Amino acid sequence: MATDDVTAQVRGWFTGRLPEDWFASAPEIIRDREEIAVLGTLPDPPEDVPEAERSALIEGLARRFREETRERRIEIAREAERKFRQKVSWGVVCGGETVMFTTLSVPVMTRLRQSERQVLDTLVAAGVARSRSDALAWCVRLVGKNTDTWLDELRDALQHVDRVRSAGPDVNS
């Protein structure tokens, strides 16, 4: 089954399974090889809330949602993990801020040349990161933040490749 088909199946299952009153709109389902992330939007705080109070209010709304839905989220996640054989993580978006409750931290292996290792070692020496692993994660987050448009275009292109590949002949027959 093509990646797009599985993602659509996962999205449909969660849309049907999640309580309608949890989020202000349909949740965003983000899926990779290891994890399914369910990201729901909470109603934004009122516009007239002072800026100093706004971030605390958003934090409080996210924390309340997390606590009030914990048991149901665990139940739904267990069902999804059995059905789709992937871990489920949860988060909310409120007032333009994203708060993740649970996520996987998956180890990845890479080979770096000396000049690349020196970049990581500089980040460690400067106290930006505790280890090379943390420094590499910091670099990936920085690139992700600064290249959102490019990464979105690349993901769209990969989805197109998946669609074309799934429409082609079945080589295994």
Side-chain angles (χ1 to χ4, degrees), residues 59-161:
E59 181 184 341
L61 290 168
R63 182 177 222 107
R64 181 176 69 194
F65 176 84
R66 182 180 187 180
E67 294 302 320
E68 289 177 357
T69 62
R70 175 169 289 160
E71 287 181 32
R72 291 284 305 275
R73 284 186 298 106
I74 290 170
E75 174 187 323
I76 293 168
R78 284 186 179 143
E79 287 178 36
E81 288 169 4
R82 279 192 300 274
K83 182 171 182 60
F84 300 110
R85 300 195 186 292
Q86 287 183 284
K87 289 293 186 184
V88 176
S89 62
W90 298 89
V92 293
V93 176
C94 184
E97 293 187 34
T98 301
V99 179
M100 294 302 295
F101 305 147
T102 53
T103 57
L104 291 181
S105 182
V106 178
V108 294
M109 182 64 109
T110 186
R111 295 182 186 276
L112 299 175
R113 301 205 184 301
Q114 185 179 31
S115 63
E116 296 160 335
R117 293 189 310 267
Q118 287 173 340
V119 170
L120 301 180
D121 291 342
T122 300
L123 293 171
V124 172
V128 172
R130 293 185 313 251
S131 64
R132 282 181 171 175
S133 177
D134 285 345
L136 186 56
W138 183 87
C139 290
V140 169
R141 284 191 298 273
L142 182 65
V143 168
K145 260 187 206 173
N146 293 312
T147 59
D148 280 342
T149 304
W150 182 80
L151 287 173
D152 286 344
E153 288 176 18
L154 186 59
R155 286 183 188 111
D156 288 344
L158 288 172
Q159 287 177 348
H160 179 71
V161 168

